[in-house]
Every structure is written in structure tokens, then in C-alpha cells.
Amino acid sequence: MDHSRRGFLTAVGATGGAGALLATMGALGLAPTAEAAARTAFDPPRPSDFTLTGRGAKKVVVLGAGVAGLATAYELGKAGYDCTVLEALDRVGGRNWTIRGGDRITELNGSTQVARFSDGIYMNAGPARLAQWMVTMDYCRELGVPLEVFTNSNAQAYIFNESAGMTAPVAWRTAKADVYGYISELLSTATDSGALDAKLTAQDKDRLITFLRGFGSIGTKAAGFAYTGTEHRGYSVNPGAGEQPGTILGPVPSLSEVLASGVGQRFSFEFGYEQAMLMFQPAGGMDAIPKAFARAVGKDRIRLRSVVTKITDLPDGVEVEYQDKDGRTRKIKADFCVAAMPPHILAKTPHNLGPDVQAALATPTVTSSGKIGLEYRRRWWETDENIYGGITNTDLDLSVMWYPSYGYGQRRGLVIGYYNNGANQDAYAALSHPEREKRAVAQGVKIHGAKYRDELATSVSVSWRLQPHIEGAWVGWPSRTGGYQLLNKPAGHVHFAGDWLSYLIAWQAGALESARKTVTDLHTRVLTH
Amino acid sequence: MDHSRRGFLTAVGATGGAGALLATMGALGLAPTAEAAARTAFDPPRPSDFTLTGRGAKKVVVLGAGVAGLATAYELGKAGYDCTVLEALDRVGGRNWTIRGGDRITELNGSTQVARFSDGIYMNAGPARLAQWMVTMDYCRELGVPLEVFTNSNAQAYIFNESAGMTAPVAWRTAKADVYGYISELLSTATDSGALDAKLTAQDKDRLITFLRGFGSIGTKAAGFAYTGTEHRGYSVNPGAGEQPGTILGPVPSLSEVLASGVGQRFSFEFGYEQAMLMFQPAGGMDAIPKAFARAVGKDRIRLRSVVTKITDLPDGVEVEYQDKDGRTRKIKADFCVAAMPPHILAKTPHNLGPDVQAALATPTVTSSGKIGLEYRRRWWETDENIYGGITNTDLDLSVMWYPSYGYGQRRGLVIGYYNNGANQDAYAALSHPEREKRAVAQGVKIHGAKYRDELATSVSVSWRLQPHIEGAWVGWPSRTGGYQLLNKPAGHVHFAGDWLSYLIAWQAGALESARKTVTDLHTRVLTH
């Protein structure tokens, strides 16, 4: 080992000089602790911050028991702040919503669905996946929420680009084998022909072709570096016992066919910092997170079915008016308010925070998104197609189809039949639930055949634009200057928090990071005044 | 959708003729039921096979309670065969061995370790992962063994090629970003320059460059298609709240540095039909599978600590002599025998099956393999490095390091500190356990720093060559003709079964498929004679 390493470094030194040597020694590597360093530091408020300074903890009213609001009350509560959380819905979590049998889904259009899911079946209507580096993972550890893998990608799931002329889905493994095979053939050919000599040394060329041989499973130079298929595609007859070596899936489409299919354009999804596997989910449903927060905050501090009707900043604090669960108008006075509601809902709420704040709240654009959960009488994706979790990616209006990341091997299971955004979602939102189901199933039949219709037991759909007191999936800012910056500062005694005030919009981690920032701002303010 | 699809097909038809059109329509796709068709058909013996034909079920002695032996007894038992299983060890499962606190590991060199693992900590010393398409998944469903994801690859785990001069590990995500970035830059450049015009039409070129733009996150043509980094690399400061957009990890190594590092050579592991994610494991330990088989077979039919000493084929059946748990020599007579022991152990067992069978049993070469399980006092890979499962791949003698696929967020956890084969494993096998631990830890410190030593609580190592009655990890055949074919047929009344008689050697699926084949052969023989 030592010998070959020294040999390599000598060779680099000889061809590239000391600069190249140093760069090779360092630039490739990621220091072992770098990932930990990537985290945002947070120092939670502590009781001793008050007891040791003679100050008293303040009273805070938190608007919204979504993830940002709950985390705010939780962190402030650690130091003894007297927090009250007002929540318009009859549950905590906001968009973190897990639907189970018996739950009601009421939409702003007046319709109501009642979920008829079997025992043990659930649907995460909102957030459903956690990236390893996100602070959400740390809160799950701190709150004792058990985690399991969320199956964000699966070689066995499909890609289907109908508009590119595909008549049947192709497995991710097959699509990757063909794309990687052909690009390896092309790049080896170009490299060997000298076409890239301006960019590659002779040693680079050797190393590149060595890499491509394995990466693309291509032939030798004598064979023209040709891609002619590989076991990476999968098998039409599996390897087995005795005289059964297996049959690699064929035929291999041509280079032009592979490029025309557009399957390769799906790959980069898996490389994203936010989406790359491994990803995780709380066992039993995403709402384990807000439920754990609510337990830690104390349920007596959370007032459900309490709709905020007015926010008034006062010289010495803040007053919030709300309609309680019995329809009575009530008021609560506090030293501070943390408004952890969606900006477009805040923008519809009377306040005295001034026109700049109002303009800022009205600035972000609201995104449509929604899902349908299809419970099947049997897990045909597992028994018939060997798909245990993962995502099928399409250019159909269903966008993606998710196979469940829980309940493997059980009888029944829930497929997310669409998770789509924008115009695709708006088209489904405009339909009644039965019509949504019919449309989603008709599209899914293109991927999975008649069983996608025949085995369906029941379904539920959620369109976030139509959810009372939420009215949207997430928001986007035209710019991070102006309104975004303004709302990241307090308006009088009112602070704001939410994923919409972070660079992790639509992620619970954004809500949590924003809550931490707001908690730090508020606590610093209290301790320094 | 219909319109653009028709437009595309018309375009293909215009440029490529009807043949190209048909190919595009079909060759890309995988028929929805193709994966199911890939399975090997199996029709288990049924009681009615006997009751409806007036035949009686036969008596069978099965040698070995590994996965093949257990599955044989299980499937034959479905039709009422009177099976007895002889097992040399004091447990079922064979190489499927899950070690927990209190378990003893005795090696042929006379040493004994006693596992000091904490409650809930376990180590799968043998098989540890299941591919979705393998028949093992079906047996887990049939036997009620709950499954969870085995984390076979993780963007957050590392690659470390010390012999290539790397001084620190690089995350898989970072390695992929750089390799894919540079090959996209190179292939775009070559494509655009016309160097590949013999292989690519103008339309192909456009589509290829469009793909590479996204795949490699490279610049435009005006920017020379340059790769200059991407968020796919990861962040040194994560995106967060307020004014924290995050900082993408840098600096980006040069093309030559990336090629010299050899990181790309690790990628194809993830594309293999046997290794591609998603993969699975039984919750709570791999031995849930043999335990479930043993329950289904009936524990009274399995004789543990019973070492086969002689196999005698008789004109009307077979007689097996064995030493029982009290050291007494006993004999069992049956109509048939299924020898489901490793071939090199059978080759050392006296028998009268003839010189050809003996030569065949002695033909396969035995592979060394082993693991060390390191229990840590805290899950620093999760808390400090955001690695929740997955595999770090190295050119060190430890080969690979596995982070646990269970117990996320808990206090303690077990890392597989090496899982290596061949000469690397032989070097560790030659050491005492404390020396193995010392060597493995010294290597691991290169990846994870001093905590890899300081936080260690206890460890256990298994070298399969040194395991009594097993004496190897798996075998290889020089050819699938001759001995392999001979042993896939019965020798008198003795049939053989095991992964070593399949094209899935070293996989439980190979043992299961072989058992099914042997059960079918034996049952067919019984029904037709």
C-alpha cells in the first residue's frame, strides 16, 4: 500500500510539479468533520439565562401550531418562556398532516371526504421525507421519534415519458444502464480518437477510459468501446439454480432511441443535496413530529380551533384577537408574538404592522401541490413487479407515483397516485374527489395495467390550495431582498417564523431553522433590553 | 400530451422509417409484467399430490439446517413428507448467523469470543442484504418476517482510495458530482466539436447535450460547457433561515485530480442487479429467516449438534450415520437424503457415492470472507457526520465499512468495521481477535479520526474459514460443466442442495432456488416411480 501510494505521488509530482502534488493531496478530500461543520449553530435558551441575570421569562403568543410555531414554543419553553400557541385547525402540524382511517378532509369548495383507509394505512399528505443533513433529523432524535428509510429512489421503479413516444415504462436500472453505456461508448471513442487532447493528458485518457469501461459496461477498444447491454439492465429470466444462468433483459435500444426517450433527464433528481438517498421518515407517519413537539410544549399551551382575527402591536407588547372553538371572540396579550402562519394568510389578517409589512406578506407567490393516496387490496407492486418502495417518474399529469416505504410484505398498502404541482395540480384540484381518482387511475393504468384500477380499495386526495387556513403548498419569493429581509426582522413586538423565511422552503427543516433563528433573535432581545 | 406524442412519432417516422418507429415504440419499454415473469416458476408439493394418487409421502433426511436445508424440509413438509434435519451446530441458519450479546464465537484455531453487545445491538455475520427480485423476499412474506430497508448505498457515506493519494475521504455525493460534471463537460465538448458526428445525428447531439447539461450541472456552450461545481457536491454551510443561502462545498478538484483519485471506479457497484438499491433486511436480525423456517418445519424435526459422519446409498433408500449431541453414534434410514451442506464439508464426509461425486464435491474453490462488528458508545456517524446508514468504500484492507441500517437515533450502534474477502480477510483471520480489532480500528481512524478508536465499546469478529462445520464463506466453480452438473442431479437416493449449486452463489436466494429445484426433482421422482 505504502509503496504504490508513494509511486503514485511521485508520478504526479513528476508530471505536474509540486502544485499538482499538493492539490492532489488535499482538494479531493472532505475533512471528516466537514459535514458536521455544515450545520447551523444553535444555542437554545436556558433557564439559567434568566436565573443568573435576574431577568424574568416573558410571555409569548405563537400564531400557528405548524412545525415552525411548535418548534418556537418548544425552544422558548426550555428557558421558561410562558408560551401560548393559537392554531386555527383542530390538529397540530399544519402542512405536516398524516391522514388515517376516519379522518375528514374538508376543502374550501365545501366538499368533504372521509378516509376509509384500513388499520395501519396512512398517507403523509404534506411533507414525507427527511434528508440526513437536515435539522429535522436532530429533532427526531431529541424528541424520541423513531425513523425508518424513506425510499426516494429505487432501481426497480419506472420512468415513463409518454410524450417521447414510450409505450411502456422502463425500470430506472435499465434506463441508467443504457444511458451510462452509450455515453461511455461515446466518450471513450472521442477520448481515444484524440478529440479531447486539449483537455486530457495521456495519463488522464488512460484513467478516463478505465473508468468508462466499468461505468458503462462497454467493450474494449478492439470492440469499438461498444455498448451492447449489461446485467445492470436487469434480467428477463433471473439467475437461478442448476442450469439457469439467467437471461439479461433485451433487446437493447439504439443510442438514438435512448436519447429520444429522454429518460436520462430524470437522473439528476437523485443527485440533489435535498433529494439524494438515503432519506428518512418517522415510523408510523410524519405527524409523529408535531405530536412529539406538542407533548413537549404541553397540550394545555396549545389552543386548537382558534382563528386569529387581529394582531395589534402595542407600546409594551402585543395583543392578538382570535375566535375560539366556540365562536367567541377572545383576546390575548403578551410581551411578544411569533407569527408562524403562512404569509398569504397573515396578509389577510388585520394588523397594525404597517404598509411595508403588509406589502411584504403579500409578495410571495403561492404554489399549488397535492397528492392522492390510493389504498390497494393487495400490494401488487411488490408481489407482481418486485417494487418495494421508491418513485416512478413520468411526464404524465400525475408527475410521480410513490410506492409505500412501510408495511412491506403486508396485505394492503397505499400508493401515492400523484404528487404534482402547478398546472397539473390545479387541473386535479378543479375536480371532485371521485373525478380526481378516476383521472389518476386512468393515467396510472398506463404504467401498471388494469390491476391499477381493479385492485383499488379506496382513496383520498388533498389539494393544498383548498385546505382551510393553509391555502397553498408553499411559497416562492421573487427576490430575497426587500420583503424577505423585512420579515426576517421583527415588526414591533411581532416576530415571524416559517419555512417561507428560509432557503429551505417547502421543507420542515426550513421551518425549524427559521424557528431557531427567531427564537435566538427574540431571546437575545429579551436578554439585552 | 397526445399532440406532442404524435408529433414525436411523426418525426421519428420521417427520419428513421417504419423500422425506427416500431423500435422506438417497443424497445425502450419494459412490459409492466416483465419483472414478475423473470421469476423462476415453482409449484410446491401438495398433500393432494399423494391423497389423489394413492401414493404415500416418503421419509427424507436433510443434512444441514442452513437456508437450503430448512427450505427443503419446509417445502417437502407441505406435502406431508416425513423430514428429519441433521445440523452440526447448536443453532439453525448456517452462514445466516446473527450475533447478539452473550453469543459465543468459537473458531477452529481454538479461540473463543463472547459477544458483549448491548441490548438491541446485533451483527449479521453472514448474509445481510436482500435484493427485491430475489425469492428470499417472497419467503419473508410467506413466513411473516418483517422487512426494512438495508442501506446499501448512501450519498453521505465516503469513498477513500489511499493508494491514489487521497488524504481524506470524499462523500459519494461529492465524488459523483465531480465525475459526472467532468464527463459531461468532456462529452459535450466532443459532441459539439463534431468529433462524434459518425455516431450522432444533429438531433441526437442536441438531445445529448441537453441531457449532459442537467446530468453534470455544466455551463452553456458559451461557457465552454465547463464544470465548475454544483450543489450536488453538498454544502460546507447548509442553506438555512434568513440570510443564509448556504455555501456549496469547495474547492472543486481539477479533472486530472478527479481521474487520478479513482473514485469513479466505485460507482458501478450500485448499478449491479444484485446490489442496486433498494435492498432489504429482516427487522431485528437476518436469523429471523431460518428461525421462521424452523418454526414452520417443526423444531422436533431438527436435530442440532448432530454431526454427519457417513452417508450410505442403499438399494432401497439411504442411511446416514451421525454423532449426536451426547457424542453417541446414531443412524437414520430414509427413502431419500438431501445433502445441503457445503461441498468441501461433504467432501470430507465418508460416503459410497462414487469417485465422480467425490471429485465433484472437491472441485469448487473456497472463498475467505469475514466481518468485524464494532459497537460504539454513541452513534457519532449520525450525530457528527450525518451518515444514517450506508457503506464507505475504500482500498484499505478493511475494504468496506457499513453503518447500521437499524436503530437510527438511538444511543449506541454497531458499525461493520470490515467486510473483506480473499487475501485481506486471510490477513485478519490469521490474527487474534484483539489484534483484528486493533488493525481494523487503525484503518478506520483514517476515515473517521480518533473517535473511531475512542468511542469503541466492544467488538466481535467472524472469519468464515475458521467456523466449525462451515469452513468458508462461499465457493466458486472453475466451470459450470462437469462436477456442477453432476451434483445438480441425484447420486442414487442422495440429492444435493445449496447456493453452491446455483448461479446465485453467496446469496440466500441461491440456496432457496436450489432447494426448490431439488424439492421439485425429488417430488417428481416420487410421483413418477
Side-chain angles (χ1 to χ4, degrees), chain B residues 357-401:
Chain B
V357 165
Q358 178 59 23
L361 289 169
T363 298
T365 54
V366 178
T367 297
S368 304
S369 186
K371 294 178 183 166
I372 192 166
L374 306 168
E375 180 180 331
Y376 284 94
R377 279 187 285 274
R378 70 184 182 92
R379 298 171 79 97
W380 46 261
W381 52 95
E382 295 177 355
T383 56
D384 300 6
E385 303 186 41
N386 298 336
I387 298 172
Y388 288 78
I391 297 181
T392 282
N393 209 317
T394 79
D395 64 352
L396 305 177
D397 63 21
L398 63 79
S399 187
V400 292
M401 187 184 288

Side-chain angles (χ1 to χ4, degrees), chain A residues 40-300:
Chain A
T40 305
F42 174 63
D43 190 12
R46 289 173 294 188
S48 59
D49 294 341
F50 293 118
T51 56
L52 299 180
T53 62
R55 287 186 172 82
K58 300 289 183 176
K59 184 170 177 181
V60 178
V61 59
V62 178
L63 311 186
V67 171
L70 289 169
T72 299
Y74 172 69
E75 293 293 356
L76 289 174
K78 286 178 179 174
Y81 281 85
D82 178 13
C83 296
T84 302
V85 184
L86 303 180
E87 168 55 49
L89 302 174
D90 60 356
R91 59 173 180 81
V92 298
R95 286 165 290 169
N96 179 327
W97 186 21
T98 302
I99 297 171
R100 298 180 183 80
D103 289 344
R104 300 176 79 83
I105 299 93
T106 300
E107 299 193 328
L108 289 172
N109 59 20
S111 74
T112 294
Q113 306 164 51
V114 180
R116 303 290 181 202
F117 295 151
S118 305
D119 276 0
I121 298 288
Y122 67 82
M123 168 184 174
N124 288 329
R129 47 191 164 197
L130 316 177
Q132 292 161 95
W133 55 268
M134 290 181 175
V135 70
T136 324
M137 299 291 282
D138 297 327
Y139 275 107
C140 287
R141 182 186 302 106
E142 182 170 329
L143 295 166
V145 173
L147 296 173
E148 63 192 4
V149 172
F150 176 84
T151 58
N152 207 40
S153 51
N154 186 353
Q156 194 78 0
Y158 298 117
I159 298 171
F160 184 59
N161 292 333
E162 185 184 50
S163 65
M166 291 175 69
T167 56
V170 61
W172 279 81
R173 69 166 92 243
T174 312
K176 279 191 179 170
D178 291 344
V179 171
Y180 293 176
Y182 281 120
I183 68 173
S184 294
E185 174 182 328
L186 292 169
L187 185 51
S188 293
T189 301
T191 300
D192 185 66
S193 74
L196 291 162
D197 282 3
K199 285 174 177 271
L200 295 167
T201 68
Q203 194 175 38
D204 289 341
K205 289 165 69 172
D206 284 349
R207 287 169 170 161
L208 178 58
I209 290 172
T210 298
F211 160 70
L212 294 168
R213 281 290 302 281
F215 181 70
S217 299
I218 56 172
T220 59
K221 178 177 177 175
F225 304 113
Y227 172 70
T228 56
T230 161
E231 61 93 19
H232 297 172
R233 303 191 90 231
Y235 282 73
S236 53
V237 178
N238 279 336
E243 305 293 324
Q244 187 174 312
T247 306
I248 293 175
L249 188 69
V252 180
S254 72
L255 168 58
S256 284
E257 286 163 351
V258 170
L259 291 172
S261 75
V263 292
Q265 271 83 315
R266 304 286 175 189
F267 298 170
S268 62
F269 169 78
E270 295 184 358
F271 310 145
Y273 190 52
E274 295 176 345
Q275 298 287 359
M277 284 284 275
L278 298 166
M279 301 196 78
F280 292 83
Q281 66 181 12
M286 189 58 81
D287 63 355
I289 294 175
K291 284 177 176 174
F293 268 122
R295 276 194 302 273
V297 166
K299 289 198 176 172
D300 54 315

Side-chain angles (χ1 to χ4, degrees), chain A residues 201-456:
Chain A
T201 68
Q203 194 175 38
D204 289 341
K205 289 165 69 172
D206 284 349
R207 287 169 170 161
L208 178 58
I209 290 172
T210 298
F211 160 70
L212 294 168
R213 281 290 302 281
F215 181 70
S217 299
I218 56 172
T220 59
K221 178 177 177 175
F225 304 113
Y227 172 70
T228 56
T230 161
E231 61 93 19
H232 297 172
R233 303 191 90 231
Y235 282 73
S236 53
V237 178
N238 279 336
E243 305 293 324
Q244 187 174 312
T247 306
I248 293 175
L249 188 69
V252 180
S254 72
L255 168 58
S256 284
E257 286 163 351
V258 170
L259 291 172
S261 75
V263 292
Q265 271 83 315
R266 304 286 175 189
F267 298 170
S268 62
F269 169 78
E270 295 184 358
F271 310 145
Y273 190 52
E274 295 176 345
Q275 298 287 359
M277 284 284 275
L278 298 166
M279 301 196 78
F280 292 83
Q281 66 181 12
M286 189 58 81
D287 63 355
I289 294 175
K291 284 177 176 174
F293 268 122
R295 276 194 302 273
V297 166
K299 289 198 176 172
D300 54 315
R301 295 189 171 279
I302 302 168
R303 301 185 192 170
L304 300 177
R305 295 173 61 195
S306 297
V307 182
V308 175
T309 50
K310 195 172 176 185
I311 303 166
T312 308
D313 187 48
L314 304 172
D316 61 342
V318 61
E319 183 180 80
V320 174
E321 183 185 282
Y322 65 100
Q323 195 176 56
D324 76 4
K325 60 184 163 50
D326 301 314
R328 283 178 303 217
T329 298
R330 299 181 63 171
K331 290 180 181 176
I332 184 168
K333 196 164 174 304
D335 297 305
F336 297 97
C337 172
V338 176
M341 292 158 56
H344 46 284
I345 304 295
L346 280 170
K348 293 197 285 187
T349 307
H351 64 75
N352 72 339
L353 305 176
D356 290 350
V357 165
Q358 179 59 22
L361 289 170
T363 297
T365 54
V366 178
T367 297
S368 304
S369 185
K371 294 178 183 166
I372 192 166
L374 306 168
E375 180 182 332
Y376 284 94
R377 279 187 285 274
R378 70 184 183 92
R379 297 171 80 95
W380 46 261
W381 52 96
E382 295 178 356
T383 56
D384 300 5
E385 303 187 40
N386 298 335
I387 299 171
Y388 289 77
I391 296 180
T392 283
N393 210 318
T394 80
D395 65 352
L396 305 176
D397 63 21
L398 62 78
S399 186
V400 292
M401 187 185 287
W402 290 7
Y403 311 99
S405 297
Y406 68 96
Y408 307 110
Q410 295 182 1
R411 259 177 215 285
R412 290 179 167 235
L414 181 130
V415 169
I416 299 295
Y418 60 74
Y419 171 31
N420 52 17
N421 307 326
N424 282 337
Q425 169 55 23
D426 289 339
Y428 278 93
L431 304 176
S432 68
H433 173 71
E435 290 169 326
R436 291 176 193 163
E437 179 192 285
K438 190 176 172 190
R439 179 165 170 164
V441 166
Q443 295 286 58
V445 163
K446 296 175 185 173
I447 312 282
H448 288 291
K451 63 182 177 292
Y452 199 82
R453 177 180 292 114
D454 298 343
E455 305 278 354
L456 182 63

